[in-house]
Amino acid sequence: VGHGLRHPSVQPYAAYETSGDPLLISVQNEREFASLCEGVLSRPELPADVRFSCNVARCQNSESLDEIIQAAFLAVERTTLIAKLREHRIAYGEVN
């Protein structure tokens, strides 16, 4: 996925590959990040990780965070992923 869909000062705000077309996610605050980690990524420990504990840290460690998100997105069927994003109120867009 191209880097044109990334945001330079918000993380995660990017498009990620899925089992189908890519999905763009936009996480704007700590509550949303915790919800993404727990409900979508099944990684509830991530918000406590110093590398991801706030948006500034996530921006500084965006490559590591992208790897985690990408692996999780590829491990789940796209339709299931969309349902989880909706359930946990994570802003997303379908990229085609």
Side-chain angles (χ1 to χ4, degrees):
V1 177
H3 292 288
L5 295 175
R6 302 187 66 74
H7 193 287
S9 61
V10 177
Q11 267 300 323
Y13 187 119
Y16 297 93
E17 297 294 336
T18 71
S19 62
D21 290 330
L23 290 174
L24 172 76
I25 61 169
S26 172
V27 173
Q28 300 291 320
N29 58 51
E30 305 316 315
R31 179 199 58 78
E32 289 178 4
F33 184 66
S35 185
L36 172 75
C37 292
E38 184 173 331
V40 180
L41 305 179
S42 298
R43 298 284 306 269
E45 77 283 2
L46 290 180
D49 185 319
V50 68
R51 298 173 300 161
F52 312 126
S53 61
C54 67
N55 185 63
V56 171
R58 290 192 296 273
C59 287
Q60 292 170 343
N61 295 285
S62 62
E63 287 184 29
S64 297
L65 183 57
D66 283 344
E67 289 174 9
I68 291 166
I69 295 170
Q70 186 61 81
F73 275 33
L74 288 173
V76 179
E77 286 295 320
R78 188 172 190 267
T79 55
T80 301
L81 187 55
I82 289 172
K84 286 183 174 189
L85 290 166
R86 285 182 180 163
E87 177 184 353
H88 296 283
R89 302 180 59 127
I90 303 300
Y92 77 95
E94 297 184 50
V95 180
N96 51 20

